[in-house]
Amino acid sequence: MPLDEIRQLPSRFARTAWLARQAGFGGVQIHAAHGYLLSQFLSPLFNKRSDEYGGVIANRMRPLLEAIEATRAAVGPDFPIAVKLNSSDQLEGGFDKEDALEVVAALDGSSVDLIDISGGTYFPGANSASDGTVSGPYFLEFAKRARMATTKPLMLTGGFKRRAQAEDAVASDAVDIVGLARALVLEPSLPDLWKADRKPEPIFPRFPDAPERGITVWYTMRLTEIGADKETPVFGDLGQAIRDYKGRNKSRSKVWLRHFANSVVGQT
Ligand SMILES: Cc1cc2nc3c(=O)[nH]c(=O)nc-3n(C[C@H](O)[C@H](O)[C@H](O)COP(=O)(O)O)c2cc1C
């Protein structure tokens, strides 16, 4: 990535956040996790630069810190800004917990309002949190260490399935807020049900033979059904979800290419 493009990044994040504010959103989250651009800068596996944006972690986190400060300047002091940060890439030679703790310490001195802890990456062959099958919160131990490095509010996302797990995480004082993704797809009113002490808990479908990203695809298609008001009480089949997802991508790619093919070709 040429230096002039990197130097434009903060203002791009800032403008996007400003537009979100104008559109009526109550806050923004800067995504520095899961293998997206800012997390690639953070990771020594992806970031091979030898300038002030590569090498030591202080350099690798520079785009993130600059994005936060530009965003704050654009949205003003009262608009909430969160950062989603990996506890690690879960890749050998990648962004590790020691790096992540240094970023948490630097975020402590920034104008960010909330740190949302996650992990993993959408890189072929790697672990991603939305495909995870381990029972219980995935990154709780890291959150406890992060707590020592910052006084900012902490959020933890990944692996929460039952109310007791969320309550325990908050009661342990490791985190202030729990994030839910797949549980909320299965039961969009889950927070209200938990608050009202209503049972039963959501039933998570099991996909023992799911291919890589298959679980995430199933939830994506379930979310699509809910968005279109077309969900059925009986959950759909994994194979069908994958076929539907591929079909949808095919038709979306056509539209995408029609709009952007020339600029993509121009850049390569
Ligand atoms: C269908 C689906 C879409 C997701 N989209 C996003 C996203 O746009 N941004 C993001 O940060 N994480 C996204 N995630 C990841 C979740 O935020 C979360 O980190 C992950 O699913 C683990 O949490 P969970 O165990 O509660 O599902 C998505 C997950 C799923 C299942």
Side-chain angles (χ1 to χ4, degrees):
M1 197 174 188
L3 268 179
D4 61 331
E5 270 184 39
I6 297 179
R7 291 190 177 128
Q8 282 172 23
L9 273 181
S11 63
R12 289 180 167 224
F13 277 95
R15 179 169 161 71
T16 308
W18 180 83
L19 287 170
R21 182 176 189 155
Q22 297 298 109
F25 283 90
V28 289
Q29 185 172 68
I30 296 179
H31 208 322
H34 299 178
Y36 297 113
L37 184 62
L38 290 175
S39 86
Q40 288 190 13
F41 269 104
L42 288 172
S43 172
L45 199 60
F46 296 92
N47 183 345
K48 302 290 182 194
R49 303 187 74 89
S50 53
D51 55 18
E52 71 264 35
Y53 294 101
V56 292
I57 183 63
N59 286 351
R60 285 182 271 131
M61 70 171 95
R62 200 181 300 280
L64 168 62
L65 297 180
E66 289 179 354
I68 293 168
E69 296 321 321
T71 301
R72 174 59 70 209
V75 297
D78 303 326
F79 191 69
I81 303 176
V83 164
K84 187 158 187 161
L85 180 72
N86 267 359
S87 49
S88 84
D89 285 350
Q90 301 181 335
L91 289 173
E92 215 179 307
F95 181 69
D96 62 18
K97 292 184 180 127
E98 304 312 313
D99 278 349
L101 286 171
E102 289 207 39
V103 178
V104 170
L107 291 175
D108 191 62
S110 78
S111 63
V112 82
D113 298 296
L114 173 77
I115 305 171
D116 179 8
I117 293 167
S118 190
T121 171
Y122 290 124
F123 187 72
N127 290 330
S128 70
S130 55
D131 246 23
T133 51
V134 177
S135 153
Y138 302 152
F139 312 113
L140 191 56
E141 289 312 308
F142 177 82
K144 289 179 183 164
R145 295 180 69 192
R147 192 59 127 187
M148 314 301 285
T150 182
T151 55
K152 300 275 185 192
L154 292 180
M155 173 164 155
L156 186 62
T157 305
F160 287 97
K161 290 186 169 168
R162 294 191 310 277
R163 176 177 149 167
Q165 293 168 333
E167 280 178 344
D168 288 351
V170 174
S172 75
D173 201 34
V175 293
D176 304 286
I177 302 177
V178 164
L180 302 173
R182 288 168 294 181
L184 211 55
V185 176
L186 297 175
E187 179 48 77
S189 21
L190 194 58
D192 287 338
L193 296 180
W194 280 355
K195 272 201 282 187
D197 210 5
R198 292 256 301 278
K199 300 264 168 11
E201 299 277 20
I203 296 166
F204 283 73
R206 287 181 187 274
F207 304 114
D209 302 321
E212 189 174 276
R213 302 233 29 210
I215 294 176
T216 308
V217 163
W218 186 89
Y219 281 91
T220 302
M221 295 319 290
R222 179 76 184 164
L223 211 47
T224 304
E225 285 169 16
I226 294 171
D229 267 337
K230 286 190 177 149
E231 76 271 25
T232 52
V234 180
F235 290 157
D237 165 71
L238 177 66
Q240 189 58 47
I242 293 174
R243 283 189 292 281
D244 291 347
Y245 181 83
K246 284 186 176 161
R248 188 180 82 162
N249 271 3
K250 217 171 171 181
S251 58
R252 283 183 170 182
S253 313
K254 278 187 197 146
V255 180
W256 179 263
L257 287 172
R258 201 162 59 234
H259 285 287
F260 299 114
N262 289 338
S263 49
V264 171
V265 170
Q267 282 171 16
T268 49

